[in-house]
Amino acid sequence: MVGRTAEAGRLTDYDAVIVGAGFAGLYQLLRLREVGLRVKVIEAGTDVGGTWYWNRYPGARCDVPSMEYSYSFDEDLEQEWEWSEVMSPQPEILAYARHVAERFDLRRDIQFETRVTAARFDDATDRWTITTDRAETLSARFCIMATGCLSMSNLPNIEGRDRFAGLALHTGNWPKEPVDLRGKRVGVIGTGSSGVQAIPVIAAEASHLHVFQRTPVYTFPANNRPLNDEIVAAYKANYAEVRERQRHSVAGFSGFNPKKAAITPTAVPDAAAKPGPPESGDTPVAKPKRRSRGLLDLDLDERRDAVAAHGPAVFQRYRDVYTDPAANEAACELYRELVDDIVEDPTVAEDLKPKGYPLGCKRQVYDTDYYETFNRPNVTLVDLHRDPLLQITETGVQTESGDVDLDVLVFATGFDAMTGALERIDIRGRGGRALRDDWSEGPHTYLGLAVEGYPNLFTITGPGSPSVLSNVIVSIEQHVDWITDCIAHLDANELTTIEATAEAQADWDERVAEAAKGTMYTAPSCASWYLGANIEGKSRVFMPYVGGVGRYRKICDDVAADGYRGFTLA
Ligand code: FAD
Ligand code: NAP
């Protein structure tokens, strides 16, 4: 009997509490309502949207096709929503999240401006007690973490960080009011996806921009442009099949070719149709199908053409780039030539060239006019390897070569990814054990969905799932549907709790590690946020599951069909 645990009159008792109102939290609320649960969502921000609520920096947009980076659960929603660009800008994605909240009347169950600080499982009652920073206490049978993989901003511990007297901003916590950068001297620290998107837009507005670069980035043109009516119509006419293909793909992309208005047999979209970078997602380089020819089998001209034509999709085309360091380095060398072709000043070009780590070890970055920006007279690149950052001062940034005076300092320094938001909450499982302690040497999960010792706790797109290696909305919907079915199964069978077994969790940990072995993700020279390497003191463990969303979905479905194999149901 669904919903039996809600006690009438006690407004703080729920069947489920969901933490976070991004795309995951919104869809989970909708689904749990459908199966009759009494649900509360707690969200730290003042509105829905998650990533797209917080990341309002200039140039912020998705870098995967919007026609695919959207919910699939409602046909009318699919048909009525209009995206303006192939990769839509942040305000539009936020407007979409708001539209979904309105359309499905979700806001009435969401409490905003409230941060969950603790969640404790009570062995005696089999319920979770959830505490917020408003000193409220909620009780729920299920606690569902929709806290996001990239929601906890990383402000690095740079000497003098808080001393700056000008305006200091983090891309992941950008103000809601527009920030006027006209005529301002701006500094940006960081050249990952956020920095690369923001830098060209800031440069066009600021009087001068200093880019403080620690690690040069491999970035490929996003090829973004307005969406034309034919492409939209083709997608909308074929959405059912597009979505089905996404669900069973490697990285959550359908391979739909809108020009031919047909689903192509290949998983890589037609380059002519250019619906964004091939197989792009929060990393497009999931393990490719075996190809007969490797990059090293081509002559130099053919290799050059391959890198220029396919960009990061050389991984899909030539397996050796993905697994053989020599082939990877050959691709990187050709990539560096592309930098020389664009950047006019040879010293700046040299400084911008990524070296010493493989293409494909980090989340792929896509840009619009990134390298071209360094040809502008009002942009200065500061290579922190040659000219180390000493400290942040009241007036700007001091490097070994001197002081750079700034009005605005932008930290594009990323996130404590995958585990950061979860570990900021004091989560206590059976016997008071702490998730922070259990994960001190890296996260342990069963399927990225559940943790042994923490009954009735679910993590949407948690570590150990494909999540950030995919079109994340596809992964979110899969997790939410699985969790909803699981809860409905418990209720239908009058079961109270579900908990991962230690054996199943250990097996899954091993499988996650095994899948990443021998790929560029775990190359010895790779230091990515997938590995936790961007956060001081964080254990280096490769966190997402590389096996692909289609395969992963099948594993999860099989587990459920097999009576929730690897879980104890009580
Ligand atoms: P989020 O959107 O991160 O939402 C989590 C919410 O939980 C947040 O609103 C947060 O405030 C809230 N929260 C966290 N902890 C607490 C707490 N303790 N108490 C209360 N509330 C809490 N993915 C793609 O597939 N394609 C893209 O192009 C893409 N672009 C991206 C661009 C940027 C700038 C970033 C940062 C990420 C991007 N991603 C992209 C990944 C993106 O995070 C996901 O696609 C998706 O939006 C995640 O949704 P979510 O609901 O899981 O998490
Ligand atoms: P990121 O990829 O982690 O990049 C952070 C940048 O800050 C890196 O260049 C890093 O240099 C630099 N940095 C960190 N600490 C520093 C320090 N102490 N001194 C100097 N430099 C420092 O973070 P992000 O750019 O915010 O992107 C995070 C993820 O969010 C992406 O990988 C992607 O998944 C998602 N995202 C997606 C989009 C999109 O277009 N769809 C846009 C933005 C973000 P090092 O490399 O040397 O550490």
Side-chain angles (χ1 to χ4, degrees), residues 51-118:
T51 288
W52 307 103
Y53 166 91
W54 295 105
N55 291 263
R56 298 167 192 245
Y57 59 85
R61 61 177 65 251
C62 60
D63 61 2
V64 304
S66 290
M67 294 302 295
E68 304 221 6
Y69 183 70
S70 46
Y71 285 124
S72 74
F73 66 81
D74 188 276
E75 281 177 28
D76 293 338
L77 174 67
E78 273 177 349
Q79 294 299 324
E80 75 198 15
W81 185 259
E82 300 288 346
W83 297 109
S84 67
E85 296 179 48
V86 173
M87 285 158 254
S88 296
Q90 170 271 329
E92 210 171 290
I93 309 174
L94 178 57
Y96 173 73
R98 286 183 175 145
H99 172 74
V100 170
E102 296 297 330
R103 200 181 185 291
F104 298 96
D105 187 23
L106 299 177
R107 279 208 173 81
R108 66 182 155 88
D109 288 325
I110 307 175
Q111 180 172 324
F112 293 105
E113 293 183 81
T114 309
R115 187 166 283 282
V116 168
T117 51

Side-chain angles (χ1 to χ4, degrees), residues 9 15 43 58 83-84 134 156 213 233 275 278 290 303 306 308 313 322 337 366 377 415 480 488 503 512 553 566:
D15 295 317
E43 166 57 54
W83 297 109
S84 67
R134 293 180 173 221
Q213 170 196 269
R290 191 175 292 278
R303 282 183 210 171
Y322 189 69
E337 286 182 14
Y366 298 97
F415 301 89
V480 167
E503 299 73 38
V512 171
R553 174 185 295 270

Side-chain angles (χ1 to χ4, degrees), residues 6 57 68 121 159 206 314 339 372 407 419 425 455 524 538 553 560 566:
Y57 59 85
E68 304 221 6
F121 183 75
E159 167 76 23
V314 288
V339 180
E372 288 81 350
D407 302 306
T419 55
I425 302 171
K538 191 164 172 172
R553 174 185 295 270

